[in-house]
Amino acid sequence: MSAPNLVGMLPSQLEDLAVELGASRYRGRQLAGWLYRKGVVDLEAMSDLPREFRTALGERAQAALPDLERATPSQDGSQKLVFRLDDGARVSAVVMPDDGRITVCLSTQVGCGYACAFCLTGTMGLTRNLTASEIVGQLLAANALLADGERVTHVVFMGMGEPLANYTALVQSLRVFTDAKLGLGYSPRRITVSTVGLVSGIEKLGREDLKVNLAISLHAASDEVRSRLMPVNRAWGLDPLMTAVRAYPLAPRQHVFFEYVMLDGVNDTSDEAQRLVRLLRGIRAKVNLIPFNDWEGSRFRRPPLARILAFQSILLDAGVTTTVRWSKGEDIGAACGQLKEPALA
Ligand code: SAH
């Protein structure tokens, strides 16, 4: 077993650890400041921590980010970061600058067990959950790559894996990100957790009082189509899913996001758009239509632009805020549903 990683620990856990090592809680708070405020993970560089404390820390724990194996820039300004984890597994994060924002898309698992028919990650199966340290580490590594004075402004859990299937590590990383005093201090409104629709997870997340944004990968407005695309729908169909969504606590102007991958001849008809309008009735919803991103061996295609726009118009006419999300990083295999990294070599 390797030494526990300080990166990803809650500030309160760092304080407890400091006490265990014979120092004061204050030392733990300083440590949190170095890791999360300053993004410094080298214990040697933490100049205001007493030497004995640093030595004791080094004997009990380590502070390390996942190894950044490569950072591939896309023509659109985004970057795909590929990390090699301690066991040789690989995951990626995508950094997307846009309009003054810098959004990072984080992975939560190696592979994914939900096997959505249109998703390349879904063909990998699930290898394992990421630890909170590996999740937080992706964000710290992204910040470290940015120019001085720049930092990630928005976080989306839309990389590899199903966040709500790795619930404990997800919530721990959310607490580190949103802790305003000793953590990274992100407003929960700048953080979005996306799910295939794990009803029990949505209910639990709603009770955490984290106030982060919820995004549902919907992709169809009828159980018949959704079950064909997403096996998870056979366990949790649209009825229980929408009930859980309606119960998710929202702040005054907060919305629930719905992702809808546009698949030629599958879910792009005007009938389906009208069904979607009915399904979303009474929900403060924002819909993101994602034109399908192709991958080798997939059996789907992106609909013609006119059909995507017609679908959008039906929603807009019904008063549903709807944008078409042209994925970033398609040229570098970083677009939605394109994340897959070989484990070896
Ligand atoms: N497992 C979570 C987090 C992944 S988010 C979830 O499903 O929500 C990634 C988003 O990209 C999901 O909405 C997913 O359905 C979508 N996606 C998957 N494959 C895609 C593809 N080939 N083209 C466009 N979007 C895709």
Side-chain angles (χ1 to χ4, degrees):
M1 275 270 301
S2 56
N5 200 338
L6 300 172
V7 172
M9 284 189 189
L10 298 169
S12 61
Q13 294 174 322
L14 295 170
E15 289 177 314
D16 291 347
L17 180 62
V19 171
E20 255 176 69
L21 296 175
S24 62
R25 298 191 80 75
Y26 171 68
R27 297 300 180 201
R29 288 197 288 279
Q30 279 180 300
L31 183 54
W34 281 107
L35 294 172
Y36 300 138
R37 279 286 127 103
K38 304 192 185 103
V40 170
V41 293
D42 177 9
L43 292 177
E44 284 311 301
M46 302 183 180
S47 47
D48 57 0
L49 293 180
R51 167 139 311 275
E52 321 80 78
F53 179 56
R54 274 187 272 164
T55 309
L57 265 178
E59 282 164 5
R60 264 292 292 280
Q62 51 164 338
L65 301 183
D67 266 343
L68 179 61
E69 192 174 63
R70 46 174 212 279
T72 314
S74 158
Q75 301 201 343
D76 61 25
S78 61
Q79 267 193 85
K80 176 175 174 176
L81 314 186
V82 177
F83 297 99
R84 190 172 192 279
L85 308 175
D86 287 348
D87 61 354
R90 288 185 172 80
V91 292
S92 32
V94 186
V95 182
M96 300 168 286
D98 195 15
D99 224 6
R101 296 181 169 200
I102 302 176
T103 302
V104 69
C105 177
L106 301 180
S107 294
T108 52
Q109 298 183 310
V110 180
C112 182
Y114 287 89
C116 298
F118 46 81
C119 180
L120 179 60
T121 310
T123 64
M124 300 174 66
L126 175 67
T127 304
R128 69 169 171 91
N129 280 334
L130 296 188
T131 62
S133 141
E134 289 164 336
I135 297 173
V136 173
Q138 292 171 63
L139 186 138
L140 294 182
N143 271 339
L145 269 191
L146 293 171
D148 280 350
E150 275 187 349
R151 86 166 195 158
V152 166
T153 62
H154 292 73
V155 180
V156 296
F157 286 84
M158 298 187 182
M160 225 184 244
E162 166 54 38
L164 294 180
N166 184 9
Y167 191 82
T168 309
L170 170 75
V171 168
Q172 170 137 345
S173 64
L174 290 172
R175 297 210 183 280
V176 170
F177 291 164
T178 56
D179 186 323
K181 249 176 48 205
L182 295 170
L184 281 136
Y186 284 102
S187 155
R189 300 290 293 274
R190 291 175 170 228
I191 298 180
T192 302
V193 174
S194 181
T195 175
V196 290
L198 302 189
V199 168
S200 57
I202 295 169
E203 291 168 346
K204 254 164 83 181
L205 189 67
R207 289 193 295 265
E208 300 283 349
D209 199 31
L210 279 158
K211 303 188 168 71
V212 294
N213 297 309
L214 179 67
I216 305 291
S217 289
L218 194 62
H219 307 321
S222 61
D223 279 316
E224 193 246 314
V225 179
R226 195 164 192 269
S227 290
R228 258 194 288 141
L229 297 175
M230 305 176 72
V232 69
N233 197 68
R234 294 171 209 156
W236 279 301
L238 286 170
D239 263 358
L241 175 58
M242 298 312 282
T243 303
V245 167
R246 284 171 202 277
Y248 187 79
L250 293 179
R253 301 208 339 270
Q254 193 175 15
H255 293 77
V256 177
F257 296 90
F258 292 90
E259 293 143 293
Y260 195 103
V261 59
M262 300 289 299
L263 304 169
D264 188 22
V266 176
N267 63 357
D268 58 347
T269 60
S270 46
D271 274 1
E272 200 70 2
Q274 254 126 24
R275 257 194 295 277
L276 184 54
V277 167
R278 286 195 293 276
L279 191 69
L280 298 181
R281 203 158 275 159
I283 296 178
R284 240 183 292 147
K286 278 193 183 166
V287 174
N288 280 314
L289 301 176
I290 316 172
F292 173 66
N293 294 309
D294 206 2
W295 41 274
E296 206 182 305
S298 95
R299 49 192 174 85
F300 297 100
R301 275 179 326 200
R302 181 181 286 191
L305 180 60
R307 195 148 354 106
I308 297 174
L309 298 178
F311 196 95
Q312 181 187 25
S313 294
I314 293 173
L315 291 161
L316 289 174
D317 288 346
V320 181
T321 309
T322 307
T323 54
V324 181
R325 187 207 288 164
W326 297 100
S327 291
K328 299 241 168 206
E330 211 185 336
D331 55 336
I332 52 167
C336 306
Q338 286 187 331
L339 298 180
K340 179 179 175 187
E341 308 303 330
L344 295 167

